[in-house]
Amino acid sequence: MATDTDKSGGAWPAVRRFLLENGALTALALLVVVMSLLSDDFLTAQNLLNVGVQAAVIAVLAFGVTFVIIAGGIDLSVGSVAALSATVLAFLATVEGVPVWLALPLAAATGTAAGLVNGALIAYGKLPPFIATLAMLSVGRGLSLVISEGSPIALPDSVAALGGSIGGWLPVPVLIMVVMGLITAVILRRTFTGRAMYAIGGNEEAARLSGIRVKRQKLGIYALSGLFAAVAGVILASRLASAQPQAAQGYELDAIAAVVIGGASLAGGVGTAFGTLIGALILAVLRNGLNLLSVSAFWQQVVIGVVIALAVLFDTLRRRSGSAGGGTGAGASVSRGRRGIQLVIAAAATAVVVGALSFLVPNSSSDGPRVGMSVSTLNNPFFIQMRDGAQAEADEAGVNLVVTDAQDDASQQADQIQNFISTGVDAMVINPVDSDAAGPPVVGANNADIPVIAADRGVTDAEVATLVASDNVEGGRLAARTMAEALGEEGRIVVLQGTPGTSASRERGAGFEEGIAEYPDIEVVAQQPADFDRSKGLDVMTNMLQGNGDIDGVFAENDEMALGAAAALSSRGEEAVVIGFDGTPEGLEAVADGVLHASIAQQPAELGRTAVRNAIAAANGEALEETVMVPVEVVTEENVEDFS
């Protein structure tokens, strides 16, 4: 008897139909082929495992968001809920001494509770999902900062092991991702709740009239999303061996993108666990491949946005053609032809985007060592100067320097370090987002015998060939002494702090607090974080002036916030002694113009040069000093010309 395959003319039509109906999988296959052609380091076992690990957190978050989107909702809070759940786990297990077997379910309960609150606000409070979950995004992040007091909390070793591997090669995060994906598929396909999600997303009123308790189902749907976010938070924290209160910022957008790329409709009623997994893998492959190609972090954001838009656009076209050309015969043939053409166009467009960006890769034909450099952020003049100094030193030495931007995300920096290991760089320069979180990935570099130079901030629980840094604590003390001299050792001052939890903010703040304590007639009337950002410095300083009256002095933990504070003072016609930190070009110009009283100059360009110089020496097997300190100095109007 002839088989169905025989009747249809062989296996190819079935394969073709499968590819047409799974556009995201086809796009993933295409990306893998393109990246393999562009980079010899991509299609290796180690790097493919890296892709799996790097996709795990987003995939688990996206599985939870899949439930919500299928039901016609949206959840913007999953990133904050993930950070809150991980912080609760670390706080209970490390600070409070709660047994891990109890702390883990309590962390899961935290995420579930946050989801229940979302569901109650939406189902019973009649709030739009966008507003309810946006509020939870803020509440979750705030509670995470309150519990941790703005600082990372170490995880117990038993939990941190979840970020490792089994047998030295099978990553635990990948296993968890697969298990959570299977659970998602079972819920969607085999349970009443799953069927209710599709019904509610397809037509909520019809679902209600058919007997589905829509409000109760929404409670469960958002609770599931919160639970999956908690699992993702634990995975993320275990990879970094610490709970970061600022972790997973922006991950909610990646999770939603993964679901939509995977074929779900934001209108509701459509979506699968498999599609979501493919969507998460597409994002991970893009980021991993573009890192391997040394594409600028700024261009990476562009290409990922373009590919997401293309995926959604062509998926929309595919669905429209599918609904318009249903049936059999000539109409069905035309529909399949259109879908085939659209698939080819989508594939070609994706290939063109990725291929075009490959031409932006710097020439890496240098015979000298290859040095990887991960900078905490390139959205700050200080670190831009550090990168420029490092690049100048590398150019002079004939070294191929590959610079990546961690965008103040410790998890993204861990991914970049893994990618450096995969490509076999001769040495690394790491400017940690957080010293504790950088430890586990740097241990991987240690195991691969790749020397690591720590720049500006140290690395905890890992070996570094040397630490090249300015003394942030001493800089804080110098700022306090300069402030006291300018005020005649008495007055009312405020402090603008950096991003909560970052080592630079903690160290500079500790040094200033220690130094100002020597002057009992100087009162610190207020201190608030402004995230190292000028616009936030302006807003926070304006509020401080409103709430505290006359202010005699301002210490800002970087020049950007100091310039924002100076603008706030100027707009109100008030004067105060403003001292910044970093010695950026614009900060020094403000000192020369009398806008700032002083800046604590760290000489970031020299710091970058020194770090690369030591990385080259380490790659050549030379012995290095344990610590290389780049001096900090107080820059005032009298000596600013020496620095300019």
Side-chain angles (χ1 to χ4, degrees):
M1 183 176 69
T3 64
D4 291 339
T5 301
D6 293 334
K7 291 178 181 179
S8 63
W12 168 242
V15 173
R16 181 174 177 274
R17 184 168 57 253
F18 177 80
L19 292 177
L20 287 172
E21 293 174 355
N22 294 272
L25 181 60
T26 308
L28 176 61
L30 174 69
L31 280 174
V32 169
V33 171
V34 171
M35 292 299 182
S36 301
L37 293 174
L38 293 176
S39 172
D40 295 335
D41 298 309
F42 179 79
L43 204 60
T44 64
Q46 180 60 51
N47 191 61
L48 292 179
L49 288 174
N50 286 346
V51 171
V53 172
Q54 293 164 18
V57 174
I58 295 300
V60 175
L61 281 176
F63 289 141
V65 174
T66 300
F67 300 133
V68 176
I69 288 180
I70 288 174
I74 199 77
D75 192 348
L76 300 177
S77 68
V78 289
S80 294
V81 171
L84 174 61
S85 301
T87 301
V88 168
L89 168 61
F91 178 79
L92 292 175
T94 303
V95 179
E96 296 296 324
V98 174
V100 171
W101 62 265
L102 180 57
L104 278 170
L106 288 174
T110 299
T112 305
L116 283 171
V117 171
N118 282 336
L121 290 173
I122 294 164
Y124 295 96
K126 303 298 183 182
L127 266 66
F130 183 92
I131 299 301
T133 58
L134 183 64
M136 182 56 70
L137 179 151
S138 180
V139 170
R141 186 69 62 187
L143 288 176
S144 180
L145 290 166
V146 168
I147 293 170
S148 65
E149 297 182 351
S151 299
I153 306 175
L155 283 180
D157 292 340
S158 57
V159 180
L162 295 175
S165 59
I166 298 174
W169 67 274
L170 183 57
V172 177
V174 174
L175 288 177
I176 297 175
M177 175 180 69
V178 172
V179 170
M180 299 304 288
L182 291 173
I183 292 173
T184 303
V186 169
I187 291 174
L188 290 175
R189 294 292 184 182
R190 303 296 182 187
T191 68
F192 174 78
T193 297
R195 291 190 291 273
M197 292 176 193
Y198 287 105
I200 294 170
N203 189 319
E204 183 173 326
E205 182 61 19
R208 186 185 66 80
L209 293 174
S210 66
I212 295 175
R213 297 182 176 180
V214 173
K215 292 182 179 179
R216 182 177 297 182
Q217 290 298 329
K218 284 187 176 181
L219 275 180
I221 291 167
Y222 280 93
L224 277 173
S225 180
L227 175 60
F228 275 60
V231 174
V234 173
I235 297 173
L236 179 58
S238 67
R239 288 193 63 206
L240 306 175
S242 62
Q244 307 278 323
Q246 294 283 19
Q249 290 200 70
Y251 281 31
E252 54 278 345
L253 300 182
D254 278 357
I256 293 169
V259 177
V260 175
I261 289 173
S265 170
L266 288 174
V270 178
T272 64
F274 180 71
T276 294
L277 175 62
I278 297 302
L281 288 174
I282 286 175
L283 292 178
V285 166
L286 275 172
R287 289 198 170 96
N288 175 271
L290 294 175
N291 275 339
L292 296 183
L293 294 171
S294 303
V295 173
S296 160
F298 305 138
W299 278 109
Q300 286 187 36
Q301 294 185 50
V302 173
V303 70
I304 289 173
V306 169
V307 170
I308 289 172
L310 285 173
V312 176
L313 172 63
F314 286 107
D315 183 68
T316 301
L317 293 175
R318 180 178 64 83
R319 291 181 185 282
R320 286 178 180 173
S321 66
S323 61
T328 60
S333 177
V334 172
S335 174
R336 286 194 296 270
R338 288 176 179 173
R339 291 202 301 269
I341 292 172
Q342 291 161 4
L343 187 63
V344 170
I345 294 173
T350 306
V352 168
V353 170
V354 178
L357 281 172
S358 70
F359 292 103
L360 298 174
V361 180
N363 187 354
S364 58
S365 60
S366 169
D367 295 329
R370 285 198 309 149
V371 177
M373 181 178 187
S374 176
V375 183
S376 59
T377 178
L378 289 177
N379 192 31
N380 183 304
F382 176 84
F383 296 109
I384 292 174
Q385 288 182 81
M386 182 194 296
R387 177 206 59 188
D388 291 345
Q391 189 64 62
E393 182 69 24
D395 292 342
E396 290 177 11
V399 167
N400 178 26
L401 180 68
V402 181
V403 181
T404 60
D405 177 8
Q407 299 179 348
D408 274 330
D409 183 343
S411 176
Q412 191 169 150
Q413 186 163 63
D415 294 345
Q416 292 167 358
I417 294 172
Q418 286 182 332
N419 293 340
F420 286 150
I421 296 171
S422 295
T423 58
V425 296
D426 297 287
M428 294 186 206
V429 176
I430 306 300
N431 164 233
V433 173
D434 180 82
S435 299
D436 295 330
V442 170
V443 168
N446 297 156
N447 295 336
D449 294 325
I450 299 175
V452 176
I453 308 299
D456 189 47
R457 305 162 186 165
V459 178
T460 305
D461 296 330
E463 294 181 13
V464 294
T466 190
L467 167 64
V468 180
S470 303
D471 193 335
N472 277 317
V473 176
E474 178 59 25
R477 294 193 194 101
L478 287 174
R481 191 178 310 143
T482 304
M483 178 72 73
E485 292 172 355
L487 296 180
E489 300 188 5
E490 62 179 4
R492 304 171 76 248
I493 66 172
V494 298
V495 176
L496 293 180
Q497 302 165 317
T499 303
T502 57
S503 53
S505 179
R506 295 198 305 270
E507 292 167 3
R508 295 174 186 185
F512 185 81
E513 183 178 353
E514 180 182 319
I516 211 69
E518 298 178 7
Y519 306 96
D521 292 330
I522 295 180
E523 179 188 4
V524 179
V525 297
Q527 48 186 345
Q528 290 290 330
D531 299 339
F532 292 128
D533 183 82
R534 186 183 305 193
S535 62
K536 291 184 180 178
L538 170 62
D539 293 340
V540 172
M541 187 65 209
T542 300
N543 296 338
M544 285 181 165
L545 291 170
Q546 185 68 33
N548 295 282
D550 293 335
I551 298 296
D552 301 306
V554 180
F555 170 58
E557 292 176 356
N558 80 339
D559 285 343
E560 287 293 290
M561 294 187 296
L563 291 168
L569 288 162
S570 176
S571 67
R572 292 174 61 99
E574 299 185 19
E575 294 184 359
V577 173
V578 181
I579 297 177
F581 207 116
D582 283 343
T584 63
E586 198 168 353
L588 295 179
E589 184 179 342
V591 170
D593 294 339
V595 175
L596 301 184
H597 176 77
S599 179
I600 309 302
Q602 291 196 88
Q603 306 180 75
E606 180 59 28
L607 196 154
R609 277 184 170 275
T610 304
V612 169
R613 194 178 306 129
N614 279 268
I616 297 170
N620 292 329
E622 299 177 21
L624 304 178
E625 297 180 19
E626 184 176 342
T627 304
V628 177
M629 299 303 293
V630 177
V632 295
E633 296 188 42
V634 179
V635 182
T636 62
E637 199 169 355
E638 287 73 27
N639 65 348
V640 68
E641 292 298 329
D642 298 335
F643 292 86
S644 301

